[in-house]
Amino acid sequence: MSKRETHALRRRAFLAGGAAVLGGAALATAPSPPNPKERTMRIVILTGSPRKNGNTATLAARFAEGAQAAGHEVFRFDAALAKVSPCRACNACGMNGPCVIKDDFEALREKLVEADVIAFATPMYYFGFSAQLKAVIDRFYALAGRLHTPKRCVLMMAYADTDARKRDVLVNHYRMLLDYHGWTDAGQLIAPGCWPAGAVARTDLPQKAYDLGKSL
Ligand SMILES: Cc1cc2nc3c(=O)[nH]c(=O)nc-3n(C[C@H](O)[C@H](O)[C@H](O)COP(=O)(O)O)c2cc1C
């Protein structure tokens, strides 16, 4: 098959929801998700807030502490403090190759591929992930073929509203992201009614984040 045909096939698979075709072989032959009791896991935490001591940063930090207490290896990537350009849709990567953009995402590439667990910690911005974290997620595109391996994921999200329905768009986006990659959910910590940085500290969620990290 020519490079052009391979590329076209990948594009069709992506548009069709991809995991079945793009990740089919990998999913069929890959081992089941690792049993946490058996070995140290590699955990990548992706944060999306520009507030260094914000609510989601607090949850991410406690989650990391729990995971490290359980002996796991944690790599944290703060998208809002890093230099990550949005995907240019140049397709030079063919959804499975080097990205033409050389920025801080380079430090994350192999960590994502090797991760057993990916934790997303984001504030809600206009009902979705923060743009900073979304830019990182869009850069998964250049890794698509290599990310369709069993992984577990966590969502930590804070928002100001108290209406539970307002979380649906973001949570559904997260679920679809997992579904597309063939990943499974290991837990969600949602903090409503949190507007100022530090608000989450008055809830039991930081402790729950620690417990979740430790229980992986
Ligand atoms: C640009 C922007 C957009 C926001 N959009 C929403 C929103 O749609 N709904 C909501 O309830 N809160 C919204 N918020 C509030 C944040 O979600 C809230 O303050 C959250 O706790 C921030 O988390 P952080 O401390 O981790 O940054 C928004 C805040 C900003 C700065």
Side-chain angles (χ1 to χ4, degrees):
M1 192 183 294
S2 72
K3 200 176 169 192
R4 183 186 291 266
E5 285 166 334
T6 308
H7 191 152
L9 186 66
R10 285 209 177 100
R11 268 192 74 208
R12 278 202 299 280
F14 183 66
L15 293 171
V21 179
L22 271 179
L27 285 173
T29 55
S32 15
N35 179 341
K37 307 292 178 232
E38 286 175 6
R39 69 170 176 84
T40 299
M41 285 191 292
R42 287 158 296 195
I43 299 172
V44 169
I45 304 176
L46 303 176
T47 73
S49 175
R51 302 206 283 200
K52 285 185 187 169
N53 298 309
N55 299 310
T56 50
T58 299
L59 295 178
R62 296 293 285 143
F63 175 79
E65 281 169 29
Q68 282 162 337
H72 302 309
E73 198 180 284
V74 174
F75 180 82
R76 174 170 163 167
F77 187 86
D78 295 313
L81 307 179
K83 187 175 177 301
V84 178
S85 301
C87 173
R88 294 179 197 159
C90 66
N91 268 319
C93 65
M95 289 188 76
N96 201 20
C99 181
V100 296
I101 306 172
K102 302 301 173 202
D103 59 16
D104 291 345
F105 189 85
E106 289 295 296
L108 183 59
R109 278 179 68 90
E110 294 308 312
K111 300 284 186 190
L112 283 170
V113 172
E114 292 164 2
D116 301 300
V117 176
I118 301 178
F120 300 88
T122 185
M124 179 194 291
Y125 280 179
Y126 290 92
F127 312 105
F129 288 91
S130 73
Q132 294 92 331
L133 182 53
K134 184 60 166 56
V136 168
I137 293 170
D138 287 353
R139 295 282 293 280
F140 288 5
Y141 190 87
L143 287 169
R146 300 177 68 205
L147 288 181
H148 290 281
T149 58
K151 295 186 192 298
R152 295 190 298 146
C153 294
V154 166
L155 175 65
M156 291 173 274
M157 188 267 279
Y159 67 120
D161 212 308
T162 50
D163 182 347
R165 289 174 309 158
K166 300 276 172 59
R167 70 182 64 166
D168 290 351
V169 174
L170 203 157
V171 172
N172 283 338
H173 187 161
Y174 165 77
R175 285 200 188 113
M176 196 55 69
L177 193 62
L178 269 53
D179 195 48
Y180 170 71
H181 287 99
W183 300 338
T184 54
D185 178 39
Q188 298 171 22
L189 296 172
I190 310 289
C194 290
W195 167 238
V200 80
R202 294 193 292 273
T203 74
D204 61 356
L205 287 170
Q207 182 60 45
K208 285 189 170 155
Y210 180 89
D211 294 342
L212 181 58
K214 200 167 179 189
S215 72
L216 288 170

